[in-house]
Amino acid sequence: MSEDRNDNDRPLSVAERFAELARLTPARIALGRSGASLPTRELLRFGLAHAQARDAVHEPFRPAEIAAEISALGLTSMMVESAARSREDYLRRPDLGRSLSPESRALLEAARGDYDLAVIIADGLSSTAIHQNAIPLVAALLPLLQRQGLELAPIAIAAQARVALGDEIGQHLGARMVLMLIGERPGLSSPDSLGAYLTFAPRPGLTDAARNCISNIRPGGLAFQPAAVKLAWLIEQALRRGLTGVELKDESERAIEGRMTEQGDGTLGLAKPRPSKPRLSN
């Protein structure tokens, strides 16, 4: 195997090899050392990342701002909450985050209809992820759902929510399928990671085996537009086949290649959609 070399055709040192590797990933590798410990700069960086992860979990959720941004997209929304009455309850009692409050059940029943899809925006374990990434993803996804001609329920903005809360929300709304956009557990390099969970025929008691998940949606991970195309493909296939979860494999790469075009500035943009009559509820 030939040696890696620098621009001067000199074999790379061990430190240079690690530096090259470190440039390819946000993972903490090749940090160096000072005696038997980390260098001070790396210790400070670790402390900052840990603080950012904690802040993401405890950042107050701002559902009114989310509702205003949804309205600007031409959609209606409704605010619901889980049975967890505080952030402390939510963190200590995961089961409370999986069931609705009585008031929210009544609100959802009043909005019940014949919907193809219910989109839920939930704080989860990172309100930071929602505040930064949920609306850009919805904006990228909306034209693709319009092309499919889907009937959308009012978007539910859910506080103190776990993933499974979407099952009960979808059942009360009468939706054939739910898309839960939720803040994922913060990592030390990604406090703003957004997860998207799709569940067909939602109802309480389902396990994660019944869901499809796309994770790490954020500018530093999976970008909004490719994520939207993946979600649109999965939604279309789930409604066609009547299932989600382990039996529905993500084979959307061909769809992404077909629906994304290279723009003159080097960025990826959606190809012009086929004309169709949207049936979105306002």
Side-chain angles (χ1 to χ4, degrees), residues 15 53 137 145 234:
L137 177 59
L145 300 182
L234 285 168

Side-chain angles (χ1 to χ4, degrees), residues 79-85 99-101 103-104 157-160 165:
M79 299 183 193
V80 298
E81 59 185 6
S82 74
R85 294 299 186 177
S99 60
L100 286 163
S101 68
E103 299 86 354
S104 294
I157 305 171
Q160 313 290 13
L165 189 71

Side-chain angles (χ1 to χ4, degrees), residues 241-259:
R241 303 182 196 182
L243 55 85
T244 49
V246 295
E247 295 182 3
L248 178 60
K249 306 304 180 185
D250 182 1
E251 300 171 346
S252 60
E253 292 302 320
R254 291 182 181 178
I256 292 177
E257 293 174 2
R259 298 179 188 178

Side-chain angles (χ1 to χ4, degrees), residues 112-169:
R112 188 178 183 87
D114 183 17
Y115 303 117
D116 295 313
L117 179 68
V119 178
I120 304 157
I121 298 177
D123 52 358
L125 285 166
S126 176
S127 295
T128 299
I130 293 300
H131 296 152
Q132 295 181 5
N133 303 320
I135 296 302
L137 177 59
V138 171
L141 180 61
L142 190 57
L144 304 181
L145 300 182
Q146 289 176 330
R147 179 164 59 188
Q148 293 183 30
L150 300 183
E151 187 74 23
L152 285 187
I155 293 182
I157 305 171
Q160 313 290 13
R162 302 279 176 173
V163 171
L165 189 71
D167 299 337
E168 191 175 359
I169 292 174

Side-chain angles (χ1 to χ4, degrees), residues 261-269:
T261 57
E262 188 73 21
Q263 303 297 303
D265 59 0
T267 61
L268 289 173

Side-chain angles (χ1 to χ4, degrees), residues 89-102:
D89 285 347
Y90 173 80
L91 294 173
R92 292 172 181 167
R93 292 280 307 276
D95 58 309
L96 295 179
R98 300 186 185 108
S99 60
L100 286 163
S101 68

